[in-house]
Amino acid sequence: MTKKVNELLYPETRWKFEQQDERAARALAENLNIPPLIARLLIARGITTVEAAERFIYIDKNDFHDPFLLDGMDDVVRRLKQAILGHEKILVFGDYDADGVSATAIMLLGLRALGAEADYYVPNRFDEGYGPNVPALEKARKERYSLVVTVDTGIAAIEAAEAARHLGLDYIVTDHHEPPPELPDAYAIVNPKKPGCPYPFKSLAGAGVAFKVIHALSGRAPEALLDLAAVGTICDLVPLVDENRLIAAKGLAALAAAPRPGLRALMKVAGILKQDLTADDIGFGIGPRINAAGRMDDARPAVELLLADSEAPADALAEQLDDYNRERKAVVDQIAAEACAEVERFPEEEKKSARHCPGKLA
């Protein structure tokens, strides 16, 4: 016990600044009127210029990057405007995790606000697996959709893109995952990680990419969608730097000030006080409940919750997601208990090499 206490009180880890560029630190401290220690910490994080430090410290003064720096954005905006003006049916094809659900809501609400006739489709994890699939696209064509826009998915869906072309569907991919060597043959692809894309920030979440599409389409950053963008960004565990940090900071402020009905209902069942809202509240309170829908059954209730525009349906959907989350935790606990029981049946030699049983998981 004494050893553990000493390790906590006197850890071996120490901040070391000997290797840092003291001249750069002094310049930051003098130009920004900040303590030298803060300047050294900024240098340690790779923030070495006055301009970069100002962007980091004064987050409220930052602006979003030009969305048209994303390769393919011109084609996406041109086709979406054509669809809106021509009253074409647009299908937003999303994913079932918190980022995908948030991205679906962002794209759908953004398009509808601009007059689009749009709806969404999220595949069932158990029946359809991950990503765009041919039967879903065939169904969309039968229902007279002419344009499909993926969010948080699609960058590796080669077969789906080929099927869309044969079906006469224009197929736009917006995604943030690492592109495979072969890209889908789509009408357009927007992904900051796409080879040759000049966008200055590569780590957007799927919700962030959807936000940028609406930004480009509407001609201004859609502030009303920042709460959803923050949820997707924080829950997807992308690094909260650069534009992600801006999305998270502004989105959290929007959530604390005036959360939309669905998020307010989720905050209520999660016991989150909006005046104390933090990124941890999103990551550990809201995110698991949104994720639970797609993990236990179907993600549609999670999407509907984010789209809800009144309190009564939002409260009912939040309770449903909370039930899913309790069920998810019970399943995880059961799996952990079964795994521990299996380890206990090992011979003594094998037990020694097995990891310590974690017991009941939260």
Side-chain angles (χ1 to χ4, degrees):
M1 175 65 75
T2 302
K3 182 182 177 183
K4 289 184 178 180
V5 171
N6 286 336
E7 286 176 352
L8 289 172
L9 293 176
Y10 309 106
E12 294 181 4
T13 304
R14 292 287 187 272
W15 287 102
K16 293 184 179 180
F17 298 109
E18 297 94 304
Q19 305 296 324
Q20 304 304 331
D21 186 335
E22 285 297 327
R23 282 189 299 176
R26 281 197 301 272
L28 289 185
E30 291 169 5
N31 281 279
L32 298 173
N33 193 27
I34 58 176
L37 177 59
I38 300 298
R40 292 191 188 102
L41 288 172
L42 290 170
I43 296 293
R45 293 191 63 154
I47 301 170
T48 58
T49 67
V50 172
E51 293 77 13
E54 284 182 329
R55 286 197 301 273
F56 185 86
I57 295 171
Y58 305 113
I59 188 72
D60 56 324
K61 296 181 180 179
N62 289 353
D63 202 359
F64 294 100
H65 297 307
D66 180 356
F68 287 99
L69 292 175
L70 283 158
D71 185 60
M73 187 65 85
D74 285 311
D75 292 331
V76 169
V77 168
R78 188 181 309 112
R79 184 64 185 90
L80 285 173
K81 285 184 175 179
Q82 178 187 347
I84 293 170
L85 289 172
H87 303 287
E88 298 178 53
K89 292 180 69 176
I90 304 171
L91 184 67
V92 177
F93 198 108
D95 190 25
Y96 37 65
D97 68 357
D99 185 25
V101 167
S102 302
T104 300
I106 289 168
M107 188 68 77
L108 192 63
L109 290 170
L111 289 174
R112 286 176 175 174
L114 294 168
E117 185 178 346
D119 210 334
Y120 73 92
Y121 186 92
V122 176
N124 184 290
R125 178 194 298 266
F126 305 101
D127 297 336
E128 300 170 82
Y130 172 77
N133 60 81
V134 176
L137 295 175
E138 290 174 340
K139 182 174 183 290
R141 195 63 181 129
K142 287 178 182 177
E143 293 176 357
R144 302 196 176 186
Y145 287 94
S146 56
L147 177 60
V148 174
V149 182
T150 74
V151 290
D152 191 37
T153 188
I155 195 64
I158 305 296
E159 183 184 3
E162 184 178 351
R165 189 176 68 256
H166 287 312
L167 289 166
L169 283 167
D170 282 342
Y171 180 79
I172 290 172
V173 173
T174 78
D175 202 350
H176 73 116
H177 296 100
E178 289 291 341
E182 179 186 359
L183 296 178
D185 184 12
Y187 182 93
I189 298 174
V190 169
N191 183 334
K193 295 188 178 81
K194 185 170 68 170
C197 179
Y199 200 68
F201 183 58
K202 304 297 183 182
S203 297
L204 289 170
V209 176
F211 181 85
K212 300 307 295 186
V213 171
I214 302 303
H215 183 177
L217 188 61
S218 62
R220 58 184 177 82
E223 300 278 335
L225 300 175
L226 275 167
D227 54 349
L228 297 173
V231 168
T233 296
I234 292 169
C235 292
D236 210 53
L237 301 179
V238 290
L240 294 183
V241 297
D242 201 281
E243 202 162 30
N244 285 343
R245 189 163 179 264
L246 183 59
I247 288 171
K250 291 195 170 189
L252 285 171
L255 267 170
R260 66 183 65 240
L263 291 176
R264 185 190 301 116
L266 264 189
M267 290 159 64
K268 185 164 61 176
V269 298
I272 297 170
L273 301 176
K274 66 180 181 180
Q275 61 265 32
D276 300 323
L277 198 64
T278 66
D280 282 350
D281 292 322
I282 303 299
F284 296 103
I286 291 177
R289 287 167 171 80
I290 295 176
N291 276 324
R295 287 177 178 168
M296 302 310 298
D297 189 5
D298 189 280
R300 192 172 184 88
V303 181
E304 291 298 320
L305 175 78
L306 298 186
L307 298 177
D309 56 7
S310 60
E311 187 173 326
D315 285 345
L317 288 164
E319 290 290 346
Q320 184 178 356
L321 264 58
D322 197 43
D323 289 342
Y324 279 139
N325 194 47
R326 281 195 291 271
E327 183 182 349
R328 175 196 63 81
K329 289 195 285 187
V331 169
V332 171
D333 288 343
Q334 180 182 349
I335 292 171
E338 290 174 358
C340 288
E342 186 66 27
V343 169
E344 288 303 314
R345 286 195 286 269
F346 286 179
E348 287 302 318
E349 303 77 39
E350 294 184 32
K351 283 183 186 179
K352 291 177 183 178
S353 63
R355 292 184 176 182
H356 175 67
C357 176
K360 189 172 181 179
L361 301 179

